[in-house]
């Protein structure tokens, strides 16, 4: 029935009468029920869920919570739930560990904070102690100055008298022949602090000026213009100089006319005191026209003197002015080796008056020895020398008759033969050169003798002067027995034996000393004039003017970039290299012996074999004399800072050592358009102890980049601009260098701080030497008969490269102002060899080799751009330089050495409980 009804409903109510309303009613009921169900689900279920969710935490009993925690077994039945549980447990453990670490770090931070507070307190205490020490030091210095002021007398400058005032109280001597400095020189016009001003008259303002030799007058005027002592203010002058010769024969004034002209000089003041009359001779002809005129109290400087005219200690015997307007050609000067030459000795000359009597009797050498002495020593000299020549025991050349017309000469004087070039060629072949003084004993010196002496010294022939009464040039300040043999004429028969008995070493020493005297006092007009002034200044005990320093033109640059720390530079282990200076840099103490140096040790200063501390005609600067044990600033001589006060270990490391308690050095760094390399090198100097300042010699015409930031290394960096690109600029005595010690270093040199400090310590013990790191040596090339430069590893060395070396600033003056200009010209020509030139100079002056420290053989930084030394022609040029320098010096001055310097306890086995000194590799 149901199915039937259902069927009927589907059929639209057909059958059984059709009841459509029933169907409509049933469909309404279903829709209403469905809507109600949905409403209940959508409304009441969220409300119920919300209620239970909000009351979960309020349930007191955990078992009553609908959503409360369940046991692990209940929740971990599903596999993914188990994984989540494991993750939760792992995270929980890590959180616990992190919490423990956090607590541990908090405790460590607390401890460190306590330590920081303790350190701050220690720093404050240290600052207080430092302040107290500074106060003590300041008080000590003040007390020291007070004690020095009490012990030193208070001196005031002497009263200065102007030259235009008449000196009525100046006592005249009984005779002009008795003139000496004490009675013919007015010291009041030359105070010690005057600076020795010299006024030179203009010869053209006087009639005799037109009679002067043009070359001599021109050379004299050129020398006067460049001399540091010459002043144009005659009112403050100490000495007045007038040039009166050499005069030309046809226009020579009469003696009376010359005397009147001299007496009419504006500052002659009746007797000419404090005046110097200079009569220079360029030729061998002798002019002594001042002999017959009254010169009053004026000093005379010339080449010819009679005993009645010469006043010892007052007048000056000068050398001839051969090279008037030209510099000597060093390439034409023969070398000083070999020591022995073709002729043992030679002599050429002619004396008309005694020649005839000498040739009448010619005896053998044996007969001359046994016979009696002739009345005329010149006759005996001729006979003896001819006998030696005839004996054939040695090659000698003596000629007593000139092949051509002899030069003009004074009576009894041996006239020169031939031309100057011919005489020099003979002297180049002679080991000794005989100089026979005039037979007239009243003639103490003649222009002919001084000319023979000049030529002999020029070419390296050792002068043998026969006649002890002779007054050689500058004889009161030059010890001639170190460069010449002065033998009395009666010993003529012993001359041959004496000359043969001299050893080669002594011969070379005398030849080298003669070459030094010739170069320093004879060779040029500047040397002659400066020597004359130096003699007068030394006699009246006025200190020399210091040599000029090279003014440094600074290039503005920006600094402030904090210098980095190179681990290779800063990692010195537990070594204390010394204090890094926190106070402003301090210069080396000034030399304070200027006012007494001229009054003592005159012979040593003028005559010692070529050494670094000569008083040149213009004293270069205040020298340090190691032989006196008085280094600059020491005050009390030697002080063993590195010995008794230092000891070993930590005390040694903290002590500077040497004999000067306090000293710094200056780094001079030459560079050329390598900014990055330069900046790296400057940064490596950061923290270097005892560093005064850094002088960067900018050798390029192109200035540094404006945006270049220079490093701040704790000391001043002075960038100096040069006039031209020259390697000689490395050794200019810049006025910014205020220390004696100079560390010359290349911009690509790579040295550790401990190496630099050890080199500085060694230099302080050998201040007259070059002390450096890379060693080189010279060698003789037998096949080519020349010298070679060698940089290979060797057991000996003769040079230390100045790309990393210490030397005294004194040598910078000598290199730039005294060393022959030809050497500096070659350095500029090749842009090479400046380090070789400096080694030649120091070895020539000291006769000592350089000192090498540590085992370094190279010092270039890795990765730096290639320098000039990598060029293929570099070594060929250095070969040429060495051979050229040998020609200029006349011999090879470099000396070999086979040792280097290391620390006292270097590689010494010591017990472990003992502290060791420095150990340098």
């Amino acid at each position: 029935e149901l199915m039937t009804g259902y069927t009927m409903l589907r059929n639209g109510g057909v059958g059984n009468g059709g009841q459509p309303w029933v169907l409509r009613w049933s469909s309404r009921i279903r829709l209403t029920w469905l809507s109600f169900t949905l409403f209940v689900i959508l409304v009441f279920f969220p409300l119920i869920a919300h209620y239970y969710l909000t009351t979960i935490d309020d349930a007191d009993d955990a078992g009553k919570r609908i959503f409360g925690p369940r046991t692990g077994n209940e929740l971990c039945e599903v596999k993914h739930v188990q994984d989540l549980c494991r993750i939760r447990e792992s995270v929980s453990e890590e959180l616990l560990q992190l919490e423990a670490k956090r607590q541990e770090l908090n405790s460590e931070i607390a401890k460190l904070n306590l330590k920081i507070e303790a350190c701050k307190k220690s720093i404050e205490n240290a600052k207080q102690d430092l302040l107290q020490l500074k106060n003590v030091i300041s008080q000590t210095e003040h007390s020291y100055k007070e004690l020095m002021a009490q012990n030193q007398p208070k001196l005031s400058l002497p009263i200065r008298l102007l030259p235009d005032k008449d000196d009525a109280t100046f006592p005249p001597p009984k005779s002009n022949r008795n003139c000496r400095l004490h009675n013919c020189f007015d010291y009041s016009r030359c105070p010690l602090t005057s600076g020795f001003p010299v006024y030179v008259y203009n010869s053209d303002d006087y009639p005799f000026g037109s009679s002067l030799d043009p070359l001599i007058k021109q050379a004299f005027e050129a020398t006067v213009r460049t001399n540091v002592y010459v002043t144009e203010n005659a009112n403050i002058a100490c000495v007045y100089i007038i040039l009166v010769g050499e005069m030309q024969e046809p226009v020579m004034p009469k003696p009376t006319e010359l005397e009147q002209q001299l007496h009419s000089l504006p500052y002659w003041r009746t007797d000419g005191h404090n005046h110097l009359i200079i009569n220079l001779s360029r030729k061998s002809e002798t002019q002594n026209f001042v002999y017959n005129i009254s010169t009053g109290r004026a000093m005379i400087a010339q080449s010819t003197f009679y005993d009645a005219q010469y006043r010892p200690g007052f007048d000056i015997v000068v050398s001839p002015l051969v090279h008037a307007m030209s510099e000597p050609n060093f390439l034409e000067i023969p070398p000083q080796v070999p020591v022995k030459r073709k002729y043992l000795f030679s002599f050429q000359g002619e004396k008309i008056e005694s020649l005839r009597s000498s040739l009448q009797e010619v005896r053998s050498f044996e007969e001359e020895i046994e016979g009696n002495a002739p009345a005329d020593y010149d006759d005996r000299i001729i006979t003896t020398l001819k006998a030696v020549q005839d004996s054939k025991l040695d090659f000698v050349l003596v000629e007593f008759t000139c092949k051509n017309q002899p030069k003009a000469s004074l009576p009894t004087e041996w006239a020169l033969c031939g031309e100057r070039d011919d005489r020099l060629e003979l002297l180049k072949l002679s080991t000794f050169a005989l100089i026979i003084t005039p037979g007239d004993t009243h003639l103490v010196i003649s222009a002919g003798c001084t000319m023979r002496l000049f030529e002999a010294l020029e070419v390296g022939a050792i002068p043998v002067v026969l006649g002890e009464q002779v007054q050689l040039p500058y004889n009161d300040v030059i010890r001639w027995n170190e460069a010449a043999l002065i033998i009395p004429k009666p010993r003529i028969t012993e001359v041959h034996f004496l000359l043969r008995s001299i050893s080669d070493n002594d011969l070379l020493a005398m030849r080298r000393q003669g070459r030094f005297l010739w170069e320093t006092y004879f060779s040029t007009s500047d040397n002659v004039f400066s020597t004359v002034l130096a003699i007068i200044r030394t006699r009246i005990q006025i200190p020399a003017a210091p040599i000029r320093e090279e003014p440094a033109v600074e290039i503005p640059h920006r600094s402030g970039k904090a210098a980095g720390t190179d681990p290779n530079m800063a990692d010195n282990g537990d070594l204390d290299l010394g204090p890094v200076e926190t106070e402003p840099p301090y210069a080396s103490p000034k030399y304070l012996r200027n006012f007494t140096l001229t009054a003592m040790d005159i012979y040593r200063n003028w005559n010692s074999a070529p050494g670094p501390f000569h008083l040149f005609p213009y004293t270069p600067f205040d020298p340090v004399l190691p032989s006196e044990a008085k280094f600059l600033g020491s005050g009390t001589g030697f002080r063993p800072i590195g010995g008794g006060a230092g000891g070993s270990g930590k005390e040694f490391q903290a002590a500077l050592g040497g004999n000067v308690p306090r000293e710094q050095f200056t780094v001079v760094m030459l560079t050329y358009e390598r900014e990055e390399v330069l900046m790296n090198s400057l940064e490596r100097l950061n923290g270097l102890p005892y560093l005064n300042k850094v002088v960067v010699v900018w050798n390029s015409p192109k200035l540094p980049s404006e945006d270049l930031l220079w490093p701040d290394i704790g000391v001043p960096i002075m960038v100096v601009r040069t006039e031209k690109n020259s390697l000689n600029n490395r050794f200019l005595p810049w006025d910014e260098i205020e220390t004696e010690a100079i560390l010359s270093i290349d911009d690509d040199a790579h040295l550790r701080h401990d190496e630099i400090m050890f080199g500085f310590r060694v230099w302080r013990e050998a201040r007259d030497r070059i002390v450096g790191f890379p060693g080189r040596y010279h060698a003789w090339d037998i096949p080519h008969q020349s010298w070679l430069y060698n940089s290979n590893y060797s057991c000996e060395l003769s040079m230390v490269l100045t790309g990393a070396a210490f030397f005294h600033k004194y040598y910078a003056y000598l290199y730039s102002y005294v060393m022959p200009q030809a050497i500096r010209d070659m350095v500029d020509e090749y842009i090479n060899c400046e380090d070789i030139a400096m080694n030649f100079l120091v070895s020539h002056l000291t006769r000592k080799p350089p000192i090498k420290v540590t085992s370094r053989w190279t010092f270039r930084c890795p990765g730096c751009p290639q320098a000039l030394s990598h060029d293929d022609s570099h070594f060929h040029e250095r070969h040429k330089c060495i051979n050229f320098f040998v020609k200029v010096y006349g011999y090879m001055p470099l000396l070999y050495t086979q040792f280097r310097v290391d620390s006292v306890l270097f590689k010494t086995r010591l017990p472990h409980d003992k502290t060791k000194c420095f150990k340098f590799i």
Side-chain angles (χ1 to χ4, degrees), residues 185 196-203 206 208 220-221 223-224 227 229-231 234 237-245 262 265-268 272-280 298-301 316 528-534 536-537:
F185 190 86
F196 191 59
V198 174
Y199 179 78
V200 180
Y201 291 99
N202 186 1
S203 301
Y206 305 96
F208 64 84
F220 183 79
E221 292 174 352
T223 299
V224 167
N227 194 275
Y229 297 106
V230 174
T231 178
C238 168
V239 175
Y240 300 84
I241 297 179
I242 182 67
L243 177 68
V244 299
L262 289 177
L265 294 176
Y267 302 98
W268 186 262
H273 62 271
N274 289 47
H275 275 65
L276 174 65
I277 301 174
I278 297 182
N279 179 19
L280 299 177
M299 296 174 286
I300 300 176
I316 302 174
V528 172
F529 183 68
S530 299
T531 303
V532 171
L533 294 185
I536 299 176
R537 178 185 52 76

Side-chain angles (χ1 to χ4, degrees), residues 62-76:
K64 295 179 181 180
R65 297 175 184 173
I66 298 175
F67 296 97
R70 302 289 188 241
T71 61
N73 293 331
E74 294 176 352
L75 297 177
C76 295

Side-chain angles (χ1 to χ4, degrees), residues 38-310:
L38 292 174
F39 175 78
V40 170
I41 293 172
L42 295 176
V43 175
F44 288 95
F45 183 78
L47 292 175
I48 295 170
H50 180 267
Y51 170 75
Y52 281 103
L53 289 174
T54 55
T55 58
I56 287 175
D57 295 335
D58 298 334
D60 296 334
D61 189 0
K64 295 179 181 180
R65 297 175 184 173
I66 298 175
F67 296 97
R70 302 289 188 241
T71 61
N73 293 331
E74 294 176 352
L75 297 177
C76 295
E77 293 177 356
V78 184
K79 184 177 180 179
H80 70 277
V81 176
Q82 294 176 355
D83 295 337
L84 293 176
C85 291
R86 285 193 298 269
I87 292 173
R88 188 191 68 175
E89 294 174 356
S90 176
V91 172
S92 299
E93 292 178 359
E94 290 180 359
L95 290 175
L96 292 175
Q97 293 176 1
L98 290 176
E99 178 65 19
K101 289 183 178 179
R102 185 182 68 83
Q103 295 178 359
E104 183 181 355
L105 290 176
N106 287 334
S107 63
E108 291 181 0
I109 290 173
K111 294 179 181 179
L112 291 177
N113 288 331
L114 294 176
K115 290 184 178 180
I116 290 174
E117 293 298 329
C119 290
K120 288 182 178 179
K121 292 181 180 179
S122 300
I123 291 174
E124 292 297 330
N125 295 333
K127 288 183 178 179
Q128 294 294 333
D129 295 340
L130 179 60
L131 182 59
Q132 293 179 0
L133 289 175
K134 287 184 177 180
N135 293 333
V136 172
I137 292 174
S138 177
Q139 294 176 1
T140 304
E141 291 179 350
H142 183 69
S143 301
Y144 174 76
K145 292 180 180 179
E146 289 182 349
L147 291 175
M148 293 296 295
Q150 294 176 3
N151 294 330
Q152 290 180 351
K154 295 181 180 181
L155 299 177
S156 59
L157 295 179
I159 300 176
R160 191 166 187 129
L161 301 178
L162 297 180
D164 56 350
K165 295 182 179 180
D166 294 332
D167 303 318
T169 59
F170 193 56
K174 296 181 179 180
S175 172
N176 292 334
R177 290 186 55 186
N178 298 327
C179 262
R180 300 297 184 269
L181 288 176
H182 68 277
N183 57 6
C184 287
F185 190 86
D186 187 2
Y187 281 91
S188 64
R189 302 179 185 276
C190 306
L192 292 175
T193 58
S194 64
F196 191 59
V198 174
Y199 179 78
V200 180
Y201 291 99
N202 186 1
S203 301
D204 292 334
D205 296 340
Y206 305 96
F208 64 84
S210 59
S211 304
L212 295 176
D213 186 308
L215 288 179
I216 289 184
K217 183 169 66 173
Q218 186 178 357
F220 183 79
E221 292 174 352
T223 299
V224 167
R225 286 194 297 267
T226 59
N227 194 275
V228 296
Y229 297 106
V230 174
T231 178
E232 296 181 357
N233 187 1
N235 294 325
I236 65 172
C238 168
V239 175
Y240 300 84
I241 297 179
I242 182 67
L243 177 68
V244 299
E246 182 175 58
M247 292 189 178
Q248 297 174 322
E249 292 291 343
V251 292
M252 182 183 301
K254 297 180 180 180
T256 54
E257 296 177 354
L258 180 61
E259 180 176 336
Q260 293 176 357
Q261 295 174 20
L262 289 177
H263 291 181
S264 64
L265 294 176
Y267 302 98
W268 186 262
R269 295 186 303 276
T270 68
D271 59 2
H273 62 271
N274 289 47
H275 275 65
L276 174 65
I277 301 174
I278 297 182
N279 179 19
L280 299 177
S281 60
R282 185 172 63 90
K283 305 175 183 179
S284 60
E285 292 85 351
T286 301
Q287 294 181 351
N288 191 15
F289 47 82
V290 297
Y291 178 68
N292 295 321
I293 66 176
S294 174
T295 57
R297 299 183 185 181
M299 296 174 286
I300 300 176
Q302 62 181 12
S303 300
T304 301
F305 279 103
Y306 284 95
D307 57 357
Q309 177 188 16
Y310 180 68

